[in-house]
Amino acid sequence: MTDRPLIAFAGISKTYGNGTLALDDVSFAIRPGVIHAVCGENGAGKSTLMKILFGLEQPSSGSIQLDGEAVAIASPRVAAERGIGMVHQHFSLVPSLSVAENIVLGQEPRRGAFLDRVAARRRVEELSRRYNLAVDPDATVRTLSVAAQQKVEILKALSRDVRVLILDEPTAVLTPPETEELFDRLRDMRAAGLTILFISHKLREVRALASHVTVLRAGKLVGDAPLAAIDDEAIARLVMGQAAGPALKRGGRSSGAPRVVVTGVHLKARDANDRVEGIDLTVHAGEILGVAGVDGSGQRGLVSLLTGRAQPTTGAITYEGKPSAGLGTAALRRLGLAHLPADRFQDGGSKRMTLVENAMAGAHRLAAFSTGPFLKRRAMETRTEEMIARYKVRCPGPNAPLSALSGGNAQKLIAAREFATEPHFMIADQPTRGIDVAAAAFLHERLAELAAKGGAVLLITADLDELLTLSDRIVILYAGRIVARLENEPGLTPERLGPYMLGLESAA
Ligand SMILES: Nc1ncnc2c1ncn2[C@@H]1O[C@H](COP(=O)(O)OP(=O)(O)OP(=O)(O)O)[C@@H](O)[C@H]1O
């Protein structure tokens, strides 16, 4: 390891077109051959900084040096030429194409006018071997699990001879064993000489993987230290600007009448990962029922059924005794359903619409916000401003488009909207994925509060700490079936859930 930095950010500031100051005079260095973590709350400026390094955004002032030389990274193409690759939070793969096609897209080996499939496949196999990332080059991306799709994204980035790999919250979509595997691969890459920039909210992961951490808060650099020289509490204080609140007490609520009853439900989905192969479950008033499982074990199908986006092939669902057959999402919402979707941009809100429009979607028919055909615009704005303040949504204002918010802040706004409906039944699907520690704790409190007030909560999460913190009871899905039903007793650990999640044991 040399002391000369590979990358040096010098006085980087970024003001977006709408006036948001996302980065304010940020300077720090990254040494070659290390895993360097960048931490910070939602909206701290992490993604903006990485986009600047990858040529997706231009700094308003300041410069970047690579190997001691100032470089203008005008586009991702320039970044690629300089050996910088990025794995995005939201994947950029084409679902209908094969793994090999996706990886060579844009740099296809050609034979005459055609893609040279043999060469493409060989290239993928060679990369998979070199980095120990096993994928089937001929599989269609649509059929792959999220973890496998991420491998494809990583291989795609690596296929461009990178020296620096940027990973923006790579573990948000992974289960614990998948995270461990990813970490092993990243360690291999570092050992092979790659420099890795790792954005994460999870201090445990930063500690396990990185050797250096940089902390941003509200666009400013507030910490930059080797991990050996700083403890977790100090990092948490830098991230939040204060100490963390008290932890939630787990479970222990007493539940009431059945709110949602799922009986013998099957769903024949096109994607095998979404299939539901016979599920019985009941969510009672006043309880949080946790659903665990490796991604692609039927969770998406179950959520589609419960939210009225799909109808069961066989079996039935009732909401407070009423059969849901034939009812769509809007009708179920009128019965008291709320939904925190895993993909907040696709299912939760519309990126182009303003925060007011997103926050009021579905509520604009309520009397308080309409007088005859006219919407009380001011009342809706005020209501949205209250949500923004209560949920600490970092944004330019209620009339900004949702697209101007960082991922975590968009999720907070959608959550504010869903809790505001005072639901009888809440489906919380990966509710804190990509959300910082303080906001996650806040949403956990809201979910616990909803249950304490008699709401029925179904919590679907890949985060086992979250599952064990919040749930009263837990069911584990594997291949579209429930393979275990457990009380969340104090002795229950993530290790005990693992064998069920992997389909090695069954206790249902
Ligand atoms: N395209 C954009 N236009 C206007 N403002 C933006 C844009 N992208 C981001 N911002 C704003 O810049 C600030 C920094 O956002 P950024 O996405 O860099 O944060 P982050 O630290 O990556 O957050 P998260 O952890 O939630 O992803 C936020 O206040 C955000 O609302």
Side-chain angles (χ1 to χ4, degrees), residues 275-358:
R275 274 180 208 150
V276 173
E277 309 271 5
I279 285 187
D280 296 288
L281 62 80
T282 303
V283 194
H284 300 85
E287 76 168 345
I288 300 182
L289 177 64
V291 178
V294 172
D295 190 78
S297 299
Q299 294 94 328
R300 276 189 303 266
L302 181 62
V303 170
S304 302
L305 291 168
L306 288 169
T307 55
R309 279 183 304 170
Q311 295 292 329
T313 320
T314 53
I317 301 174
T318 59
Y319 287 84
E320 300 186 277
K322 297 181 202 67
S324 76
L327 299 184
T329 310
L332 292 176
R333 282 186 166 277
R334 282 193 291 275
L335 291 181
L337 168 80
H339 178 206
L340 290 182
D343 187 334
R344 41 237 184 216
F345 284 123
Q346 201 170 8
D347 301 328
S350 163
K351 266 184 148 174
R352 273 175 318 177
M353 295 198 323
T354 66
L355 302 194
V356 175
E357 287 162 341
N358 273 291

Side-chain angles (χ1 to χ4, degrees), residues 39-315:
C39 288
E41 285 193 312
N42 296 127
K46 306 175 297 290
S47 299
T48 301
L49 187 67
M50 296 307 127
K51 284 181 192 161
I52 288 174
L53 180 60
F54 192 57
L56 284 166
E57 293 285 355
Q58 295 305 309
S60 311
S61 58
S63 62
I64 297 177
Q65 294 188 346
L66 255 179
D67 280 328
E69 177 202 345
V71 288
I73 306 175
S75 66
R77 181 175 289 271
V78 175
E81 284 162 12
R82 296 282 180 170
I84 300 168
M86 181 156 176
V87 177
H88 297 273
Q89 229 175 12
H90 302 283
F91 299 155
S92 58
L93 301 174
V94 183
S96 56
L97 295 183
S98 75
V99 167
E101 285 163 339
N102 265 285
I103 289 175
V104 299
L105 203 69
Q107 43 162 17
E108 295 92 346
R110 290 194 174 275
R111 253 164 74 190
F114 300 101
L115 174 70
D116 184 344
R117 280 170 206 287
V118 178
R121 170 159 349 104
R122 222 182 291 123
R123 167 127 205 198
V124 172
E125 281 166 353
E126 190 261 321
L127 280 166
S128 298
R129 246 195 326 272
R130 179 162 12 134
Y131 293 105
N132 200 4
L133 284 161
V135 287
D136 170 6
D138 297 321
T140 306
V141 161
R142 184 188 295 121
T143 65
L144 299 179
S145 71
V146 177
Q149 289 189 28
Q150 186 184 55
K151 279 188 199 161
V152 180
E153 277 278 350
I154 294 174
L155 284 171
K156 186 172 170 175
L158 292 173
S159 72
R160 284 151 169 117
D161 292 324
V162 302
R163 291 193 293 161
V164 181
L165 187 65
I166 305 167
L167 293 132
D168 194 349
E169 282 186 57
T171 65
V173 293
L174 303 182
T175 58
E178 290 166 345
T179 299
E180 278 310 310
E181 197 201 327
L182 172 71
F183 283 7
D184 283 342
R185 297 294 78 75
L186 295 179
R187 291 185 190 109
D188 292 346
M189 290 174 204
R190 177 192 50 197
L194 230 65
T195 303
I196 295 172
L197 262 164
F198 174 73
I199 301 186
S200 179
H201 290 302
K202 299 182 183 162
L203 291 189
R204 190 151 42 136
E205 296 187 348
V206 168
R207 179 70 60 194
L209 198 61
S211 58
H212 196 100
V213 60
T214 298
V215 182
L216 298 178
R217 187 167 74 238
K220 290 196 174 64
L221 186 135
V222 292
D224 186 49
L227 275 154
I230 187 165
D231 64 22
D232 287 355
E233 232 170 86
I235 300 174
R237 268 199 307 276
L238 290 171
V239 167
M240 290 189 251
Q242 60 186 36
L248 272 182
K249 194 170 81 56
R250 98 182 190 190
R253 280 169 290 265
S254 56
S255 57
R259 274 274 163 86
V260 181
V261 180
V262 175
T263 318
V265 157
H266 288 253
L267 175 68
K268 276 207 187 74
R270 211 174 59 181
D271 185 338
N273 295 327
D274 297 347
R275 274 180 208 150
V276 173
E277 309 271 5
I279 285 187
D280 296 288
L281 62 80
T282 303
V283 194
H284 300 85
E287 76 168 345
I288 300 182
L289 177 64
V291 178
V294 172
D295 190 78
S297 299
Q299 294 94 328
R300 276 189 303 266
L302 181 62
V303 170
S304 302
L305 291 168
L306 288 169
T307 55
R309 279 183 304 170
Q311 295 292 329
T313 320
T314 53

Side-chain angles (χ1 to χ4, degrees), residues 288 333 336-340 359 383 387 390-391 411-428 431-432 435 439-451 453 455-457 459 470:
I288 300 182
R333 282 186 166 277
L337 168 80
H339 178 206
L340 290 182
R383 182 75 180 271
M387 290 183 185
R390 176 137 198 258
Y391 284 75
Q411 174 77 334
K412 286 195 250 175
L413 186 84
I414 302 302
R417 176 185 77 198
E418 295 299 303
F419 281 109
T421 63
E422 297 185 359
H424 295 193
F425 178 48
M426 166 75 88
I427 299 171
T432 59
I435 281 192
F442 181 76
L443 287 190
H444 287 167
E445 282 168 26
R446 297 288 74 73
L447 287 168
E449 183 182 80
L450 179 63
K453 283 202 290 201
V457 178
L459 169 71
L470 285 175

